[in-house]
Amino acid sequence: MEQRNIQPTSLTFFILIRRLIAAGLTRQAIRAFDDMESFVMEAVDETHFCFLLDTLCKYGYIKVAVEIFNKRKSRFCPNVRMYTVLIYGWCKIGRIDMAERFLREMDERGIEPNVVSYNVLLDGICRRARLQPEVRFERTIMSAEKVFDEMRHRGIEPDVASYSILLHVYSRAHKPQLTLDKLKLMEEKGICPTVATYTSVVKCLCSCGRVEDAEELLDEMVRSGVSPNAATYNCFFKEYRGRKDAESALKLYRKMREDDLYALSLHTYNVLLGMFMKLNRMDIVKEIWNDLCTSGSGPDLDSYTMLIHGLCEKQKWKEACQFFVEMIERGLLPQKVTFETLYRGLIQSDMLRTWRRLKKKLDEESIAFGSEFQNYHLKPYRR
């Protein structure tokens, strides 16, 4: 940079600090932060210091962040953002007791927590909590409700993020009625649920077998002006797969396709491919595969693996070989189990010549896969 007469900026140092912390070089990152003021044409303030703390916390170095925070308190005036970052850091490593302690310290210093501070603590309490047996679920909910009460006591009204965190806990614990009640409470308070909020409720209803209620909620979601995303629809597809309800899955899939083909995620396609392969609906599999290819989102390694293994189970060796070759030509290295399944099936079906042609194609493309392919040692199969 000196040779090209380029002056580093604070952004340059931010990138350097992030990469050093990601590599575990926290002391070097702190030294880079200390050197920043000598190089950049601006004063290093609380915003820059908060970035350092935030990056340390995100990579799990909360103790280093607290140490540097305590040492630099006199230079950088602590504010709500700094404390929120430290609360997040403690929550990230599961130390909720320390997160609560820092929340109390904020209050003692006369710094008023905001809704983000409480949401970070709430998320820490709820996200990693074990919800079985029932007593653990009740303990988690009591802790969360305690945070809600404290927020209201301070005049801070819980927002959509606060309720979404709690709804996620109800969903994980498979409590459909509690989930619906909390969603209704949100709406009564004039808080508009987001797509993530609705998806948590839909997931809970579907996993508990209440698909009809989930479908009604989906209609309500659309009427409210919230567009469902791929994750919302995947909840339905997974439940239909469990029920082997091909008609409902196909009806919803075609409705999604008519509305917006690109709303379908690669995961959605893979769920549907696996479902219809097991139900032996090869006409639908072909339709979905063609849509996947034209969508631009795939197919990927999982898509090809699922399709090839499904065709092998049905002893459709010609089609399996075609997709196997197509997969290789796309630069996707098949898993070893796929090699072995196809090899064993072709030998059993007296299609040794087909395997030899396939092996020749593999050898031609092996340069693209490098040493990873060389580690695939196929044992000769004896019938």
Side-chain angles (χ1 to χ4, degrees):
M1 291 181 76
E2 286 182 359
Q3 291 175 353
R4 296 189 178 187
N5 198 27
I6 299 173
Q7 186 71 25
T9 64
S10 57
L11 179 60
T12 312
F13 274 90
F14 284 170
I15 294 168
L16 174 62
I17 289 166
R18 187 185 296 113
R19 295 314 306 150
L20 287 169
I21 292 172
L25 304 172
T26 55
R27 298 302 167 191
Q28 290 87 330
I30 292 166
R31 280 202 295 271
F33 174 80
D34 291 336
D35 293 340
M36 182 164 58
E37 200 162 27
S38 305
F39 290 91
V40 300
M41 304 297 291
E42 57 182 300
V44 176
D45 59 13
E46 284 78 8
T47 304
H48 300 91
F49 185 56
C50 197
F51 172 83
L52 175 64
L53 296 177
D54 185 53
T55 309
L56 285 166
C57 289
K58 280 178 178 173
Y59 284 93
Y61 298 105
I62 176 60
K63 292 180 181 178
V64 178
V66 170
E67 181 188 339
I68 196 75
F69 172 73
N70 289 328
K71 285 180 179 178
R72 308 290 174 90
K73 277 180 182 178
S74 56
R75 181 181 174 190
F76 301 106
C77 184
N79 56 31
V80 64
R81 190 178 173 192
M82 289 182 197
Y83 272 103
T84 301
V85 165
L86 294 173
I87 290 168
Y88 164 78
W90 285 118
C91 288
K92 185 176 174 65
I93 64 168
R95 291 293 305 275
I96 307 302
D97 57 327
M98 290 300 296
E100 290 173 339
R101 178 179 158 185
F102 270 75
L103 190 69
R104 289 194 299 271
E105 186 180 309
M106 283 178 74
D107 193 37
E108 290 166 4
R109 294 182 69 93
I111 300 170
E112 191 71 24
N114 57 23
V115 68
V116 179
S117 310
Y118 280 108
N119 284 347
V120 168
L121 178 60
L122 194 63
D123 190 64
I125 291 169
C126 296
R127 288 288 175 181
R128 294 189 178 184
R130 293 181 180 178
L131 305 179
Q132 297 296 333
E134 186 74 14
V135 65
R136 285 182 174 172
F137 165 74
E138 290 173 358
R139 191 161 56 234
T140 301
I141 293 301
M142 283 177 64
S143 299
E145 292 293 353
K146 185 180 174 184
V147 175
F148 269 70
D149 292 341
E150 187 177 332
M151 288 173 75
R152 294 191 185 101
H153 179 72
R154 288 181 174 274
I156 301 170
E157 194 61 35
D159 63 2
V160 64
S162 315
Y163 282 101
S164 295
I165 292 165
L166 203 55
L167 279 168
H168 185 68
V169 178
Y170 289 138
S171 178
R172 282 175 54 212
H174 303 292
K175 304 286 184 182
Q177 196 54 51
L178 287 173
T179 308
L180 288 170
D181 292 344
K182 190 61 73 173
L183 182 67
K184 187 178 179 182
L185 179 63
M186 279 181 71
E187 292 167 344
E188 287 173 356
K189 287 181 174 289
I191 300 170
C192 297
T194 63
V195 63
T197 313
Y198 276 116
T199 300
S200 285
V201 183
V202 167
K203 183 178 180 180
C204 180
L205 292 170
C206 286
S207 64
C208 294
R210 295 175 60 171
V211 179
E212 292 76 16
D213 291 335
E215 288 170 348
E216 286 179 17
L217 187 63
L218 188 68
D219 293 336
E220 180 192 316
M221 185 178 177
V222 174
R223 285 196 301 271
S224 301
V226 181
S227 299
N229 59 17
T232 314
Y233 287 115
N234 286 347
C235 300
F236 288 97
F237 287 127
K238 287 174 182 177
E239 179 61 22
Y240 292 143
R241 180 179 61 185
R243 294 183 174 197
K244 298 182 180 179
D245 188 353
E247 296 309 315
S248 296
L250 190 59
K251 182 181 176 182
L252 180 58
Y253 167 69
R254 285 176 174 162
K255 182 179 181 297
M256 286 179 69
R257 188 179 60 183
E258 288 168 10
D259 292 344
D260 182 7
L261 181 63
Y262 297 96
L264 290 151
S265 69
L266 184 55
H267 181 61
T268 310
Y269 282 112
N270 288 343
V271 168
L272 289 167
L273 284 170
M275 175 183 177
F276 286 108
M277 286 290 291
K278 285 184 178 179
L279 295 174
N280 201 26
R281 296 288 299 273
M282 299 309 294
D283 54 329
I284 306 301
V285 169
K286 186 177 179 181
E287 178 187 337
I288 293 169
W289 185 265
N290 290 336
D291 289 343
L292 172 58
C293 292
T294 55
S295 70
S297 60
D300 66 350
L301 178 63
D302 290 339
S303 312
Y304 276 108
T305 302
M306 197 181 303
L307 187 63
I308 292 166
H309 281 258
L311 291 168
C312 288
E313 285 176 12
K314 294 168 179 53
Q315 297 187 359
K316 297 190 175 187
W317 306 114
K318 185 179 178 181
E319 292 94 329
C321 290
Q322 287 173 349
F323 284 110
F324 189 80
V325 171
E326 183 183 311
M327 183 183 188
I328 293 165
E329 289 175 344
R330 280 176 172 259
L332 297 169
L333 176 63
Q335 296 174 356
K336 189 176 180 181
V337 66
T338 309
F339 279 100
E340 291 172 343
T341 302
L342 199 54
Y343 171 59
R344 186 168 57 249
L346 289 171
I347 298 300
Q348 285 178 334
S349 302
D350 290 323
M351 298 177 70
L352 185 59
R353 286 186 180 180
T354 305
W355 170 252
R356 284 173 179 164
R357 286 197 297 270
L358 213 59
K359 188 70 170 65
K360 184 180 178 182
K361 181 67 177 177
L362 277 170
D363 293 337
E364 289 172 0
E365 300 287 341
S366 63
I367 298 171
F369 300 125
S371 59
E372 192 177 354
F373 173 70
Q374 302 302 325
N375 295 328
Y376 283 15
H377 300 295
L378 294 176
K379 295 179 181 178
Y381 178 74
R382 294 180 181 178
R383 286 183 290 176

